[in-house]
Amino acid sequence: MQRQRIVRQPAFLMLASEFGTATLNEKGSGEFDPSFVITKLGSKANRVVVCGLLERLEIRETSNGATLYQGQLRDPTGLHYFSVGDYNSETMREMSSQWAGRTEEGEPILLMMTAKTRWYQTDEGAVYTSLRPEEACEVTRDVYANWLLDACESTMARMKAYTASLELEATMEAYERSDLPSGMKQGLLAARNHYDEVDLEPFNLNLMQALDIAEGKMAAATTPPPMVRLPDGDEPNGETGDGELRGFILHVVQHFDQGDGVDFNTILKNAAARGYVREQAEAMLDELADSGDVDEPRFGWFRALSVKEE
């Protein structure tokens, strides 16, 4: 019997916030069948096109003596993690070597890459995503801005399809009879069966941040968020647990607020650098807003109103 021809999979334009929160994968039974990462919005992605600031690129030696480049690519919504090794082309490895040196010297580099999606699972069961670049190149700010607009448009289309899918019975028969995009029906059904109800508000916030940059505020595209520096063990309020996180976020907001508030990304990046999980920081920020310690003068920007003495 003639073996079925393996079709090259299309590439999704994808922001980091969508890809990084995916925990579902699908692998075919055949040796050459493609594998997929299925996102919360129903993208069944074998490859993606991503773009952003090369935030880190480190050279590592593997156990067998090979050279591996591990990097982070940041867009306005989060980080893509990727690796370049012996499985990549010689050109890709040479460019990675050059970019690693320039990044170490502090030079901002905007990259666009087409990459295969990857995932791995820890012994504890946690799933993480990463990318294996196939092609990559440096781009200008204008190209990056245009990519952001296209990626936001693609994300909004997937959000619309996801919302429409919730009105249907969760069966492939119902999806096939619907007007859902033909290329998304399998991914939408798999996502619906795997993930809990998806909150679209974080995606809306991420889109607004990305569009804000695409429309001209490009400093955020090539400048990492400012980071507050505290000596080890020197907490803003001397507490631990939730009290420590509460005091730290208030400290970050007060430290960076120049009158217009502090953007959401800066707060979460500082919390992550301090070792807090993103979901914890987001929940604490909501709690601070509910208690009146911070307000949101404009969407995605926060300002400290008071500091309560503990």
Side-chain angles (χ1 to χ4, degrees), residues 46-193:
N46 171 259
R47 55 169 41 85
V48 293
V49 179
V50 300
C51 194
L53 177 68
L54 182 59
E55 190 165 273
R56 180 181 66 84
L57 188 56
E58 298 178 350
I59 304 175
R60 304 192 177 207
E61 297 296 327
T62 65
S63 57
N64 61 4
T67 300
L68 181 69
Y69 298 89
Q70 292 185 316
Q72 297 175 354
L73 193 72
R74 177 169 62 84
D75 69 23
T77 71
L79 289 170
H80 287 292
Y81 297 88
F82 68 92
S83 60
V84 175
D86 288 346
Y87 41 79
N88 289 98
S89 66
E90 182 178 352
T91 300
M92 190 73 226
R93 297 196 302 272
E94 289 177 354
M95 290 191 300
S96 297
S97 178
Q98 296 173 10
W99 290 331
R102 292 163 58 190
T103 302
E104 188 175 353
E105 294 174 357
E107 180 181 350
I109 302 173
L110 286 171
L111 292 184
M112 181 182 293
M113 65 173 63
T114 302
K116 296 291 288 290
T117 61
R118 313 289 295 177
W119 67 277
Y120 66 94
Q121 188 170 17
T122 66
D123 294 338
E124 292 75 25
V127 176
Y128 296 95
T129 59
S130 65
L131 299 174
R132 179 176 291 179
E134 295 178 312
E135 298 177 306
C137 65
E138 294 184 50
V139 296
T140 65
R141 291 185 174 193
D142 287 342
V143 171
Y144 181 42
N146 288 332
W147 179 87
L148 283 174
L149 292 174
D150 291 341
C152 287
E153 183 178 359
S154 296
T155 304
M156 286 187 284
R158 292 193 288 272
M159 291 171 64
K160 181 179 179 180
Y162 170 79
T163 301
S165 72
L166 298 180
E167 301 176 0
L168 303 172
E169 183 183 356
T171 65
M172 184 52 67
E173 290 78 8
Y175 279 30
E176 289 291 356
R177 293 193 301 267
S178 73
D179 294 329
L180 294 173
S182 58
M184 288 193 63
K185 292 177 180 178
Q186 290 184 352
L188 283 167
L189 183 60
R192 185 171 175 180
N193 290 330

